[in-house]
Amino acid sequence: MLRFFGPFIAPIVGLGFVLALTVAFFMPREAAQVTAQHEFHREPMELHLASDGPFGRFDRQQLQRGFQVYKEVCSACHSLSLVAFHDLEQIGFTKAEVKAIANQWATEQPSINPDTGEPATRKNLASDKFPSPYANETAARAANNNALPPDLSLITKSREGHAAYVHSLLIGYQDQPAELLKKFPDAKTPPSLHYNPYFANLNIAMPPPLAADGQVTYADGTNATRDQMAQDVAAFLTWTAEPKLENRHRAGIAVVLFLLVTTILAYLAYRNIWADKKH
Amino acid sequence: MSFPWAEHYAPKHPFMRWMDEKLPLPRLVYNAVGAGYPVPRNLNYFWNFGVLAGAALGIQILTGIILAMHYAANAGVAFDSVEHIMRDVNSGWLLRYAHANGASFFFIVVYLHIFRGLFYGSYKAPREMVWLLGVVIFLLMMATAFMGYVLPWGQMSFWGAQVITGFFSAIPVVGEPIRVWLLGGFAPDNAALNRFFSLHYLLPFVIAAVIVLHIWALHIPGSNNPTGVEVKGPQDTVPFHPYYTAKDGFGLGVFLLCFSLLLFFAPNALGHPDNYIPANPLSTPAHIVPEWYFWPFYAILRAFTVNFLWVPAKLWGVVAMFAAIALLFFLPWIDRSPVRSANYRPMYKWFFWVLVADVILLGFIGKSPAEEPYVRIGQFAAAYYFAHFLIILPIISRIERPLALPNSITESVLHGEAEEAAPLGQQA
């Protein structure tokens, strides 16, 4: 049986697959449809953060500014469910500051009334995760024209383009280009949506969150231009998505240096052992 | 087992002698990867990848066991438990990134190991069983990797599981009931996640067991070598230890360096951003793509777009995808050329490199969206893949005129023949 396999059976089986694919290959098909997304979607603008590169460290001042933008702008609609208030100590807030931030947070933490067991809310503690601005998904959709504002904890890791995408999206709002409407008359942005070339399908439900320069007043005196605010919040969300980035970079450099030395020694040992053998 | 001139284990220390009488485990190690295993002296760096694959499995098992202590296989909390590992577990980020990127590196070294076998004809007699067991390991690895990718329960986990288990519904009549039975539901959910976790924990140990058989089967004829000429005498071999333990030590260092660069400085480079979005059965990602190591096979699956010979396109795709791997089982009997090493096979050598290019092209197509021109290129590349193994190989093994082989390994090492004897990079 195996004797016949090579010369006979294998080529017959092979011909079957090749024929099926040849037929498929020559089957006429519709040309790829050119859509408005194809032509008008833009890659994010370049963004350089202190955390980039193998030696990158977070710029804590910037993270604190970014947190301020999240607190005063984003948190009205977006949750940050994987981050706890006391995590803010990692970006330079003191214990007392964190306690105050938690205590004064606009949305309270869901709880129960200890006497009646009825649903209730209580003030946030430093150990709490950031509360969601909405009680549940239905409430979130009801308040946002049926769109669901995504949780922001991992947003820079869950989008193509990462922090640069967040930065570009926030300041990328514009009027729909006349050229687009001329070419794709059906692609007009619906009234409840907003045109943004950095968003995958060009029309995003979120209204422009950073409307004007000076929307927040930075505690450190930095001029709060729209671009600055977008950069700062992108940096902050890079931290929320990867809080251990600095540990990773530090450990990485140590490990690579160690392995470099070890590998060189291993190479020398190898050459030494083989010195008498031609191979 | 092994050659008559293999060094014999002779324990000197009284404790080791005592041990050898009661449980000759040191003797086993000595004969398997110690001085008791004579190996051709002319192996090049491509022979490092077997040991590296073993190291990769070790990394996966070690990191995986610790991850399992913190992970919760429940559809409600799986995603958050992974983030808990990333944020709250001591060095949890290191464990998880090492495990995720370790899977990629496992496949990188195994693919190089497989292609080394293809180039040097290591699948040919008398090593057919080594090759067959290797293909079994490869299949087990694919199953394990797929199920592991489902565990974080992100968008690609969920939709990947949906697509892969959907293969079974291509089977006529009983396909759909089988799919539902395998998943434990109509769509991937808690039942599926739980059994995937259970199997993902089990299969690596099965892989380890098959690796034992793989090495056992290898030690009967001994290792192949770059000339493909069998060992003729003691002058052709060196003891595994210290010669190849030293060389593998260096290889391991280079491997760990590359692994560390990715793990510490670009840990998400090979992943898909969508898997950081929690699984949502109501929202399909724009493009469902598997992990990179499945791209070539995914391209073959999607290349079959028309019903042909009364067989629906979907069934063709699924059968072809499995056939693309299953045909490797028959390779020792498809390629009948008595010459092993491609260095002495002028025609096969060219077709080998065309195959490498074809598989890389298939990988690129598997990653690309299912639209023109990618689909058509994929159809061509997939057809070539099958043609290479099932049509071209039987023909060239018949018509090819191999070059003159060296009389022995030693001759090739000592008299010219520098091309086969020199390590990679120094070849003429």
Side-chain angles (χ1 to χ4, degrees), chain A residues 81-127:
Chain A
S81 62
L82 297 173
V83 184
F85 285 100
H86 65 191
D87 291 337
L88 292 173
E89 283 171 35
Q90 297 168 23
I91 64 169
F93 288 100
T94 64
K95 264 195 159 60
E97 284 170 329
V98 167
K99 226 171 159 177
I101 290 168
N103 194 264
Q104 291 153 23
W105 198 255
T107 317
E108 294 203 322
Q109 202 64 223
S111 168
I112 55 163
N113 182 321
D115 299 324
T116 65
E118 298 279 313
T121 59
R122 60 163 172 79
K123 287 208 177 295
N124 292 289
L125 302 171
S127 56

Side-chain angles (χ1 to χ4, degrees), chain B residues 185-241:
Chain B
F186 296 104
D189 205 342
N190 207 39
L193 179 59
N194 255 301
R195 63 190 59 178
F196 282 9
F197 180 54
S198 170
L199 293 173
H200 183 72
Y201 206 120
L202 168 72
L203 289 186
F205 298 100
V206 179
I207 292 177
V210 184
I211 287 175
V212 170
L213 301 183
H214 187 65
I215 297 173
W216 188 5
L218 171 72
H219 278 53
I220 290 167
S223 299
N224 187 23
N225 70 82
T227 63
V229 175
E230 286 297 318
V231 166
K232 302 248 162 77
Q235 71 285 357
D236 287 344
T237 66
V238 291
F240 188 86
H241 180 74

Side-chain angles (χ1 to χ4, degrees), chain A residues 232-255:
Chain A
D232 292 348
V233 83
F236 173 68
L237 293 173
T238 303
W239 170 74
T240 62
E242 186 85 2
K244 305 289 180 176
L245 177 139
E246 293 184 340
N247 307 38
R248 174 156 64 76
H249 286 175
R250 252 197 310 272
I253 286 160
V255 168

Side-chain angles (χ1 to χ4, degrees), chain B residues 296-321:
Chain B
F297 302 102
Y298 195 51
I300 290 174
L301 171 81
R302 295 194 300 178
F304 291 82
T305 51
V306 294
N307 304 342
F308 180 68
L309 288 180
W310 309 280
V311 177
K314 185 180 175 185
L315 184 56
W316 267 110
V318 172
V319 169
M321 192 183 64

Side-chain angles (χ1 to χ4, degrees), chain B residues 64-84:
Chain B
I65 286 174
I66 306 173
L67 285 171
M69 296 174 187
H70 302 281
Y71 168 79
N74 176 293
V77 295
F79 187 91
D80 282 348
S81 80
V82 172
E83 279 306 315
H84 159 71

Side-chain angles (χ1 to χ4, degrees), chain A residues 70 74-75 77-82 130-133 149-153:
Chain A
Y70 171 73
C74 320
S75 71
C77 305
H78 291 279
S79 56
L80 196 62
S81 62
L82 297 173
F130 281 88
S132 166
D151 185 87
L152 293 186
S153 318

